[in-house]
Amino acid sequence: MDLSSNADSGTLIVTVNEKRIDASVAIQFKDRMRVETEGQDGRVVLNLSQVDFIDSSGLGAIVAAMKQLGQDRRLELSCLSTNVDKVFRLTRMDTVFNIHDTLADALSH
């Protein structure tokens, strides 16, 4: 699972450099998110601009990553493709996460 991260104005941006988050990579995703966010403070924005498919295991992995951050930190999402956005809306997970249309929108909040 290829993730990259950088900090911008106190926000950690984690970018998923893969087309899919599904059952075949869900555990790797959770492990990589833990590595990317360990020792960091503040909010985390998950940039999903390159992801065009997510299944229930991938959705569960994103929820697990949010829980790994603890109660004091937020995980927000940005740049969801139409297909990924549909999954979040159909499962009502759009009520759990702050979802931003663009990375610039996420950083301005």
Side-chain angles (χ1 to χ4, degrees):
M1 171 56 53
D2 184 14
L3 302 181
S4 58
S5 64
N6 65 302
D8 187 323
S9 304
T11 299
L12 179 66
I13 302 162
V14 179
T15 301
V16 180
N17 300 309
E18 302 276 350
K19 295 283 185 201
R20 302 171 65 92
I21 305 175
D22 57 20
S24 68
V25 297
I27 292 172
Q28 293 172 355
F29 173 82
K30 287 189 292 189
D31 291 344
R32 291 283 297 135
M33 280 295 291
R34 183 175 24 258
V35 169
E36 295 293 330
T37 59
E38 269 180 344
Q40 302 285 334
D41 291 327
R43 65 195 278 251
V44 177
V45 174
L46 186 61
N47 178 355
L48 296 171
S49 60
Q50 297 180 51
V51 178
D52 60 16
F53 178 82
I54 187 168
D55 67 5
S56 60
S57 296
L59 191 61
I62 292 173
V63 170
M66 174 187 66
K67 290 181 179 179
Q68 287 174 1
L69 294 177
Q71 294 181 357
D72 297 336
R73 297 176 67 201
R74 298 188 323 217
L75 178 63
E76 301 178 28
L77 310 176
S78 71
C79 308
L80 278 63
S81 70
T82 303
N83 290 337
V84 172
D85 185 58
K86 282 181 189 176
V87 171
F88 277 87
R89 293 190 191 292
L90 286 171
T91 59
R92 309 233 346 112
M93 294 307 286
D94 61 325
T95 63
V96 174
F97 292 96
N98 287 336
I99 299 175
H100 306 280
D101 290 334
T102 66
L103 200 50
D105 287 345
L107 292 173
S108 70
H109 284 86

